[in-house]
Amino acid sequence: MKKLKNSLKSFFNNRVSVLIVVMAVLFSILVVHLFNLQIIRGNEYKQSLNSSIEKVISTPASRGRIFDRNGVLLAYDDIVYAVNISDSGSFKNKTEKNEAINNSIIKTLAILSKNGDKYTNTFGISYENGKYEYNVEGNTRLGFLRDCYGKAAISDLTDEQKNSSADELMKYMITNYQINTDKLSPDDLLELLYLRMNLTANSYTRYKPITIASEISEASIAAISENQNTFTGVTVDSQYVRRYNDSKYYSALMGYTGVVSTDQLDELRKENSSYDNTDLVGKGGIEEAFEMDLAGKKGEKQVYLDTVGRITEVIGETQSVAGHDVYLTIDSRLQKKLYDLLEEKLTEIVLAHLKESGEKYVYDSGGALIDLYILMPEVYFALIDNDLVSFDKLRNPTTDLEKSVNGRYEERLKEKTDWLSGELNGQGTNYKDLSDENKSYIWRAYEILTENKIIRTDLMNNEDPVTVKWNSGEDISFKAFIEHCITNGWVDLSEISDSQYTDLSEVYSKITSYITEKVKEDRKFCLNIFKYLIQDGTVSGREMCMLLYDQGYLQKDDYYNSLSNWTLSASDFIRTAMNNKLLTPGTLGITPSSGAAVLEDPNNGQLLALVSYPGYDTNKLSGNMDVDYYNHISKNASKPLLNWATQAQTMPGSTFKMATALAGLNNGIIDPYTQIYCSGLFTEVTPSPRCSVYPGEHGNETVQTALRDSCNVFFYSIGYDLAKSKDGSYDSDYGTDILKKYTDDLGLSVKSGIEIPESTPKASDTNAIASAIGQGTAQYSCLNLSRYVSTIANGGKSYETHLVLKVTDNSGKTIKETNSVLSNEMNYISDTAWKAVHDGMILAVQHYKTFSGLESLKVAGKTGSSQVNKTIMDNGTFVSYAPYDNPEIALSIEVPNGYTSTYNAQSAAAFYEWYFKDFKNGANN
Amino acid sequence: MFKKYNLRSYNYALVTLVVITSIFGLLIINSADSSYTVKQAGGIVMALLWMTFLSFVDYHFILKYYRVLYILLVLLLVGVKLFGVSAGGATRWLGSGAFRIQPSEMGKLMLILFLAQLLYTNKGKLNSWKFLVFVNAILAVPLLLIVSQPDLSQTILLFLILFVVLYTAGFPYKKLGKIMMVAVPVAVGLFIYIQNPNQKLLKPYQWRRVMAFINPENYDDNVYQQKYAVQAIGSGGLTGKGLGNDDPSSLLNSNYIAEAHTDFVFAALGEQLGFIGSVIAIGLLAAIVFVCIYIAIKTRDYAGRLIVIGIASYIGFQTFFNIGVVTQLLPNTGLALPFFSYGLSSLITLYTSMGIVLNISLQNGQVKDKDLFISGIVDIEEVRDDEKKTHRLRL
């Protein structure tokens, strides 16, 4: 022990030896550690190394084609060429790099503009009226600034950067990227900045190219490829572009392609992990529903990347595999015919109800709406409301006509905002004492307050007498109501101010200054101004029509000349333009402007046509969406983006009566010979519901004649009897439950099974009596009606509805085939019951004047209309099939607010005539 | 300034080691980024000439100006504070371009020289608290200036070097023990404190680096440099992928090794030359350190001995820190690998140090004045031990 102690002591006393030991230990640690890293774990590192620098780059696959049932091509991928740039070079220094990249971009842009190719600029700054301005606001602006200043997050921006003007930002970027702006046009400069910014944003994934322009011309391809060496990082690459033939006919069922959304990506990755966030995938319709079949298999390129993502070596490559082709059950000829017929019929309805001026509504003595006119000022206003005349262009006028009209608009806008300000700051007029025009402004101002949660309707007490007064438009002024809201604490200023206000007048003045500023930017408020400018003739219909040409919506033609030299009146122009399809109901957006038609093979559930009117050009939405076009169609009152055939729902109206008849016959309430007396009123209940003939009467009706005459009383009676529960008392739920069983079995109130999205149908669950004639709370789509009438046509076989016939690989070999699926067969209904219903439908068609002379076509069918409210016309429906002795097609048509179902019957008659006379005989093949 | 020397006493072994190590380093720089080869080669040639020249300059002549050295260093560091060039969030440089110097790099040698001479002129005072406080206070000035640049790693390194010099000079164990009793709890307390995200001592980037080392998975951004370096070294295996190879799966060739010619040059070395190359490099550096320590033992002159000890620990610690960082043994700091990393400031400091060591070694043969030495030592026991050992080694 002592020896050890002594030796330790002498060791520490010789201080250099301590240092020697320390150094020896340190160097030994390093050697041991390296031995562990390089010898013991060397192989492990070698393996993990490859995975950390190896990258698999995917190459897109050609998307599968979509055909109709006869192999007519509807959708396909076209190969186009895009010019891309990537930051793949290595440079001595920043200046050299900037010079090389700037030059190659500028040279590329010069070639592109020389050959008339457009480059897509989505930069956050645009050049307008001689100055640079931001075109993005709020968070989008901040995100844009973050990218421009090369920050990782918005929070990394300094306040100065956040508030920099467009000019300051441009100056910063020009300096940063060392751009010589001398010979650059503003557009080229913006495009250059856009590309530089994106290249910087990609600086760690440099293998990803940035697109300068898509679909470039042959001349540009040649010019760029020939001088490849002078264009640093610029490449011409092929890419696929989705194309649709005759797109408007199929838009709703087809869908389109677009960059995958986050939600979609999560879903798709569950099925196929190769999806990534820049992929183009199907959006809506068949494109989305058959994404897995259409997408194909991406190709792969295995590469080694360096730290900044430049490819150092390509290790391996696999080619992409094209997607599968989808064949629809649709027959393109039938689809187009029905679409065109529907459009023509809507045009006819609109034209028949156009009226220069005067009363809009026509009521019968009982107060029911029997006709509704479309006044010309509404049409002129629709031109701007539905964006045929661009309100935005008008407010930034360039032509003389635009300037003149905008001058009058601005004058009125000032007048009305001044008036509004006076109204709010002065005494305040009682709402009911205001003119209709001023009411509309006040109400819109109120809506702006509630939409922006300044006035919190969720806090509001709707029982409160003052609120009731306001909501019913009685004698209370807007000013008084706002003050009422303030005192009741229904006002929330947190959106517009950081400060706390307690004083009523302070809060009130804050709100008034907010609203008077806000209305000037509010599209609805401003359009309302315009509406009254047209209504009082300050802006004439002729000017509105001429603006269509002036702004380029229509190409100048003879009509334009006639309009400008006053030989054609505005209303005549509208009529002529509609007749010539320059303006269609779908673009004009004047109700009725939409509709649906479904043609089905009742023997297997295959859809031969599925028309949603109006359609739109899916080519413009596919790939890189044309945002202007998307906004244009989404603003239209005719709602082209809605699938009117599968997603729009209405009450079935009298088309429902076959279901009631079957229920009545099968439940023993009636037999085919039972007569029920119709006095025009169903007197079992009070208030007594009316028959359509009231104040007349149908007299004695059997089920067949009741279907023919669409006698409500007959079916009220069945509904009433069905609802009699075991103890004999009326139980509405009991009745609707029975009806629901039948509509479920008929395929009406269950989902059809179609491959694309459809709304969930809803059977009526209140008032068994009204439900029996198709009123109540039922909601069915045209597609539901189609399956329903098909089941009736074939005597109770309910097939799943299908839109896709088969899926094949590229060589045409069938991979999947849709077999007809019999989801339900109504064996429990007797043949006599079927016959009675069929006979009723045959009688009904024979009864319609429209079908006179067409008896040889053997059409059976039923019209229906459902009431919406007293200010718009009923929805018109028609269901039918033919030939009735051996049904091969079933046609259902639905036109929301279509005035009368007779119009639908007319369309159907025209279709059947064409189908059996021309189509079946091959005239159109 | 110059003396007559017996060239037989010239330490050719050390010169040979320095030349071999420098050439080795140059080969690695060439393979990592050949654009630096010519500059570094030129630098090495100039530095070798400078070293040779210095090796004949009597270091006592330099030591005469030890106060000037100290004041010059403080002025330079204040200059950095006032007119310094910033890079990566720290201000450590003066001047620009080719004339950019890093005073804290030179400072290591300057402070070693200063401290050695200070201790020499104050022989026997190490036992007094008053002198200890004075020494610590005077050394604290440049250290604080460097830590505020901020340059924590240079400060720690300097602290260790100066401590070794003081220790070798005979810093009394009893006093050391007392200081430890205060310092250790403070250090532990600080270590715990800095792990708190709201700590005020470290700059955010320093804090992240330290935390990244303690908890790599949470601070990935800050360890990627080390992660790639470790992967590169590990994948080098026993023999490496070959000097200047063109293997695309090499991290060096794929630009994954940041600073491959400077602070992370050892990663390039480890990947290309494997364990064998790594051990040779460490062996060369260790040899330089131990040759220096051997020279120190032989040195009779008190100040000269402390200088060589200081320089040996400077090279030894910096080597350990650098390779420790590159192999993820220590948190990421910015220290160059002696004789391997590219960089003028580092090169000049190293070769100047070597020049001085060579001169001290050269004078060992000449110095006869034992009194100088004996009177400089506080602890008689130690002197005896030392003498005995020296004798043993001579045998």
Side-chain angles (χ1 to χ4, degrees), chain A residues 12-15 17-18 20 23 27 33-35 37-39 42 45-46 48-49 52-53 305-307 310 313, chain B residues 167 170-171 173 230-231 233-235 237-238 241 248-249 251 254-256 270 274-275 278 282 327 382 389:
Chain A
F12 279 104
N13 280 338
N14 187 343
R15 299 190 172 208
S17 54
V18 173
I20 292 173
M23 285 297 163
F27 283 110
H33 184 54
L34 282 165
F35 184 80
L37 282 183
Q38 298 184 294
I39 306 297
Y45 280 112
K46 265 179 208 162
S48 73
L49 182 69
S52 70
I53 67 167
L305 296 180
D306 66 10
T307 36
R310 288 182 293 231
E313 189 169 286
Chain B
Y167 172 79
F171 200 107
Y173 277 118
V230 167
Q231 241 175 9
I233 295 168
S235 67
L238 179 67
K241 298 171 187 174
S249 75
L251 284 175
S254 302
N255 296 329
Y256 279 85
F275 182 65
S278 305
I282 292 172
T327 55
E382 191 185 329
K389 193 170 180 194

Side-chain angles (χ1 to χ4, degrees), chain A residues 501-658:
Chain A
Y501 298 93
T502 44
D503 185 36
L504 186 140
S505 64
E506 259 184 339
V507 178
Y508 184 77
S509 76
K510 200 81 201 162
I511 292 180
T512 51
S513 58
Y514 171 80
I515 194 71
T516 42
E517 276 313 302
K518 199 80 180 172
V519 289
K520 290 177 196 161
E521 302 150 22
D522 184 65
R523 189 179 159 86
K524 282 191 186 165
F525 187 91
C526 295
L527 275 174
N528 239 345
I529 299 269
F530 215 93
K531 183 175 164 182
Y532 284 98
L533 280 177
I534 293 173
Q535 221 163 64
D536 64 21
T538 310
V539 172
S540 70
R542 183 178 153 274
E543 285 173 313
M544 294 305 296
C545 295
M546 286 182 67
L547 277 171
L548 289 172
Y549 290 98
D550 201 59
Q551 292 188 337
Y553 181 81
L554 294 178
Q555 296 303 310
K556 287 183 182 171
D557 53 16
D558 289 346
Y559 303 126
Y560 174 73
N561 298 331
S562 309
L563 272 172
S564 43
N565 62 28
W566 301 86
T567 51
L568 183 67
S569 74
S571 61
D572 283 345
F573 168 78
I574 295 287
R575 285 173 208 276
T576 321
M578 287 196 77
N579 274 323
N580 292 319
K581 295 197 174 185
L582 284 177
L583 295 174
T584 61
T587 52
L588 204 52
I590 293 277
T591 310
S593 57
S594 50
V598 181
L599 187 69
E600 183 169 341
D601 183 340
N603 303 305
N604 54 24
Q606 289 180 7
L607 294 174
L608 301 170
L610 182 76
V611 172
S612 168
Y613 183 87
Y616 52 92
D617 189 357
T618 38
N619 289 307
K620 288 187 177 163
L621 298 190
S622 230
N624 292 324
M625 182 183 276
D626 179 341
V627 180
D628 289 341
Y629 181 72
Y630 180 83
N631 289 336
H632 173 73
I633 56 173
S634 57
K635 272 177 201 161
N636 200 297
S638 63
K639 295 190 183 141
L641 292 165
L642 179 71
N643 188 334
W644 286 96
T646 63
Q647 290 176 312
Q649 295 179 315
T650 60
M651 282 187 285
S654 300
T655 54
F656 188 81
K657 285 172 181 164
M658 284 81 84

